[in-house]
Amino acid sequence: EGWLAEPIEPEPHLQTELFVKVVLALLLGRSAQRYLDAQKAAQQVHYSLLSATGSTTAADAAYKAVSATAEQLGLDLQSSALGFSTLTAAASANGISMKDQLALFDGLARSATVLHLSSETTGRAITALSQIFGKGKIQAEELRQQLGDAIPGVVPRFQAAVMAMTK
């Protein structure tokens, strides 16, 4: 059962192993849809991180870091990884190091956990951060209206953190 539910790495034997899992699930009288959905979700995360980071090595390292944070804090791995991929695509384009991006993500995830923010609210905060990095500057709309509404008291702390990162 554990092996059936475990997503397969995208390369090099994805189709063969996925076929075996589907056939085995059907032979055991189980629906294969759950396994196919898990595989689709895993591939979506992998390719999002690959696109955002630009290399398999960087994507794998980012996945491990985000996975560790999500596991430690009890967060949904797929939404955490997809949120991070959005954030890292924008931040990398503006020269923010992966170390700083992971620290920002970790801090955001910990804040969201402590404040008991919903996945939707945390997603709004990630969108605001991505837009800030995408524009290359902090604008009042993203900071006060989006990020400030999502995370109470974040505005002054965020300004200080971003200024320290960009020095």
PDB file of all heavy atoms in Angstrom, residues 96 100 138 157-167:
ATOM      1  N   ILE A  96      17.667  37.853  -5.650  1.00  0.00           N
ATOM      2  CA  ILE A  96      17.602  37.434  -4.246  1.00  0.00           C
ATOM      3  C   ILE A  96      18.135  36.002  -4.175  1.00  0.00           C
ATOM      4  O   ILE A  96      17.693  35.126  -4.924  1.00  0.00           O
ATOM      5  CB  ILE A  96      16.161  37.498  -3.693  1.00  0.00           C
ATOM      6  CG1 ILE A  96      15.555  38.891  -3.892  1.00  0.00           C
ATOM      7  CG2 ILE A  96      16.125  37.072  -2.234  1.00  0.00           C
ATOM      8  CD1 ILE A  96      16.280  40.016  -3.200  1.00  0.00           C
ATOM      9  N   ASP A 100      18.265  33.321   1.023  1.00  0.00           N
ATOM     10  CA  ASP A 100      17.353  34.346   1.539  1.00  0.00           C
ATOM     11  C   ASP A 100      15.898  34.019   1.217  1.00  0.00           C
ATOM     12  O   ASP A 100      14.999  34.271   2.020  1.00  0.00           O
ATOM     13  CB  ASP A 100      17.720  35.723   0.986  1.00  0.00           C
ATOM     14  CG  ASP A 100      18.992  36.283   1.607  1.00  0.00           C
ATOM     15  OD1 ASP A 100      19.369  35.831   2.713  1.00  0.00           O
ATOM     16  OD2 ASP A 100      19.610  37.160   0.984  1.00  0.00           O
ATOM     17  N   ILE A 138       8.993  47.677  -3.538  1.00  0.00           N
ATOM     18  CA  ILE A 138       7.876  47.552  -2.615  1.00  0.00           C
ATOM     19  C   ILE A 138       6.907  48.693  -2.894  1.00  0.00           C
ATOM     20  O   ILE A 138       7.285  49.859  -2.858  1.00  0.00           O
ATOM     21  CB  ILE A 138       8.363  47.621  -1.154  1.00  0.00           C
ATOM     22  CG1 ILE A 138       9.345  46.494  -0.880  1.00  0.00           C
ATOM     23  CG2 ILE A 138       7.193  47.565  -0.189  1.00  0.00           C
ATOM     24  CD1 ILE A 138      10.042  46.589   0.454  1.00  0.00           C
ATOM     25  N   ARG A 157       7.839  44.985   9.953  1.00  0.00           N
ATOM     26  CA  ARG A 157       8.846  43.914   9.988  1.00  0.00           C
ATOM     27  C   ARG A 157       9.285  43.505   8.597  1.00  0.00           C
ATOM     28  O   ARG A 157      10.450  43.220   8.357  1.00  0.00           O
ATOM     29  CB  ARG A 157       8.300  42.714  10.759  1.00  0.00           C
ATOM     30  CG  ARG A 157       8.288  42.973  12.264  1.00  0.00           C
ATOM     31  CD  ARG A 157       7.743  41.810  13.008  1.00  0.00           C
ATOM     32  NE  ARG A 157       6.303  42.076  13.097  1.00  0.00           N
ATOM     33  CZ  ARG A 157       5.372  41.169  13.300  1.00  0.00           C
ATOM     34  NH1 ARG A 157       5.701  39.922  13.458  1.00  0.00           N
ATOM     35  NH2 ARG A 157       4.112  41.504  13.368  1.00  0.00           N
ATOM     36  N   PHE A 158       8.355  43.485   7.663  1.00  0.00           N
ATOM     37  CA  PHE A 158       8.693  43.117   6.294  1.00  0.00           C
ATOM     38  C   PHE A 158       9.611  44.155   5.665  1.00  0.00           C
ATOM     39  O   PHE A 158      10.580  43.811   4.992  1.00  0.00           O
ATOM     40  CB  PHE A 158       7.433  42.944   5.444  1.00  0.00           C
ATOM     41  CG  PHE A 158       7.743  42.600   4.020  1.00  0.00           C
ATOM     42  CD1 PHE A 158       8.113  41.317   3.677  1.00  0.00           C
ATOM     43  CD2 PHE A 158       7.698  43.572   3.034  1.00  0.00           C
ATOM     44  CE1 PHE A 158       8.424  40.995   2.368  1.00  0.00           C
ATOM     45  CE2 PHE A 158       8.010  43.260   1.729  1.00  0.00           C
ATOM     46  CZ  PHE A 158       8.371  41.965   1.389  1.00  0.00           C
ATOM     47  N   GLN A 159       9.318  45.416   5.862  1.00  0.00           N
ATOM     48  CA  GLN A 159      10.158  46.470   5.301  1.00  0.00           C
ATOM     49  C   GLN A 159      11.597  46.334   5.785  1.00  0.00           C
ATOM     50  O   GLN A 159      12.535  46.417   4.992  1.00  0.00           O
ATOM     51  CB  GLN A 159       9.609  47.848   5.676  1.00  0.00           C
ATOM     52  CG  GLN A 159       8.355  48.213   4.911  1.00  0.00           C
ATOM     53  CD  GLN A 159       7.730  49.506   5.413  1.00  0.00           C
ATOM     54  OE1 GLN A 159       7.718  49.792   6.601  1.00  0.00           O
ATOM     55  NE2 GLN A 159       7.180  50.279   4.476  1.00  0.00           N
ATOM     56  N   ALA A 160      11.787  46.107   7.060  1.00  0.00           N
ATOM     57  CA  ALA A 160      13.136  45.963   7.609  1.00  0.00           C
ATOM     58  C   ALA A 160      13.834  44.721   7.050  1.00  0.00           C
ATOM     59  O   ALA A 160      15.021  44.763   6.696  1.00  0.00           O
ATOM     60  CB  ALA A 160      13.073  45.883   9.135  1.00  0.00           C
ATOM     61  N   ALA A 161      13.107  43.621   6.916  1.00  0.00           N
ATOM     62  CA  ALA A 161      13.694  42.379   6.412  1.00  0.00           C
ATOM     63  C   ALA A 161      14.119  42.507   4.956  1.00  0.00           C
ATOM     64  O   ALA A 161      15.204  42.064   4.568  1.00  0.00           O
ATOM     65  CB  ALA A 161      12.722  41.225   6.582  1.00  0.00           C
ATOM     66  N   VAL A 162      13.276  43.101   4.126  1.00  0.00           N
ATOM     67  CA  VAL A 162      13.609  43.249   2.707  1.00  0.00           C
ATOM     68  C   VAL A 162      14.786  44.195   2.535  1.00  0.00           C
ATOM     69  O   VAL A 162      15.690  43.943   1.716  1.00  0.00           O
ATOM     70  CB  VAL A 162      12.387  43.712   1.889  1.00  0.00           C
ATOM     71  CG1 VAL A 162      12.780  44.106   0.480  1.00  0.00           C
ATOM     72  CG2 VAL A 162      11.348  42.614   1.844  1.00  0.00           C
ATOM     73  N   MET A 163      14.824  45.259   3.282  1.00  0.00           N
ATOM     74  CA  MET A 163      15.953  46.194   3.177  1.00  0.00           C
ATOM     75  C   MET A 163      17.262  45.489   3.575  1.00  0.00           C
ATOM     76  O   MET A 163      18.281  45.705   2.937  1.00  0.00           O
ATOM     77  CB  MET A 163      15.727  47.427   4.066  1.00  0.00           C
ATOM     78  CG  MET A 163      14.582  48.291   3.606  1.00  0.00           C
ATOM     79  SD  MET A 163      14.736  48.691   1.851  1.00  0.00           S
ATOM     80  CE  MET A 163      13.131  49.328   1.516  1.00  0.00           C
ATOM     81  N   ALA A 164      17.211  44.651   4.576  1.00  0.00           N
ATOM     82  CA  ALA A 164      18.407  43.913   4.995  1.00  0.00           C
ATOM     83  C   ALA A 164      18.821  42.902   3.917  1.00  0.00           C
ATOM     84  O   ALA A 164      20.026  42.712   3.672  1.00  0.00           O
ATOM     85  CB  ALA A 164      18.155  43.196   6.322  1.00  0.00           C
ATOM     86  N   MET A 165      17.858  42.258   3.246  1.00  0.00           N
ATOM     87  CA  MET A 165      18.173  41.275   2.207  1.00  0.00           C
ATOM     88  C   MET A 165      18.787  41.899   0.978  1.00  0.00           C
ATOM     89  O   MET A 165      19.587  41.288   0.298  1.00  0.00           O
ATOM     90  CB  MET A 165      16.900  40.525   1.784  1.00  0.00           C
ATOM     91  CG  MET A 165      16.536  39.397   2.688  1.00  0.00           C
ATOM     92  SD  MET A 165      15.065  38.439   2.216  1.00  0.00           S
ATOM     93  CE  MET A 165      14.616  38.924   0.607  1.00  0.00           C
ATOM     94  N   THR A 166      18.383  43.100   0.651  1.00  0.00           N
ATOM     95  CA  THR A 166      18.831  43.722  -0.603  1.00  0.00           C
ATOM     96  C   THR A 166      20.117  44.541  -0.457  1.00  0.00           C
ATOM     97  O   THR A 166      20.570  45.126  -1.416  1.00  0.00           O
ATOM     98  CB  THR A 166      17.721  44.617  -1.204  1.00  0.00           C
ATOM     99  OG1 THR A 166      17.321  45.576  -0.233  1.00  0.00           O
ATOM    100  CG2 THR A 166      16.522  43.771  -1.613  1.00  0.00           C
ATOM    101  N   LYS A 167      20.685  44.565   0.733  1.00  0.00           N
ATOM    102  CA  LYS A 167      21.948  45.307   0.936  1.00  0.00           C
ATOM    103  C   LYS A 167      23.109  44.547   0.360  1.00  0.00           C
ATOM    104  O   LYS A 167      23.205  43.383   0.351  1.00  0.00           O
ATOM    105  CB  LYS A 167      22.186  45.550   2.418  1.00  0.00           C
ATOM    106  CG  LYS A 167      21.300  46.650   2.949  1.00  0.00           C
ATOM    107  CD  LYS A 167      21.639  46.929   4.386  1.00  0.00           C
ATOM    108  CE  LYS A 167      20.718  48.023   4.909  1.00  0.00           C
ATOM    109  NZ  LYS A 167      20.962  48.316   6.292  1.00  0.00           N
TER     110      LYS A 167
END
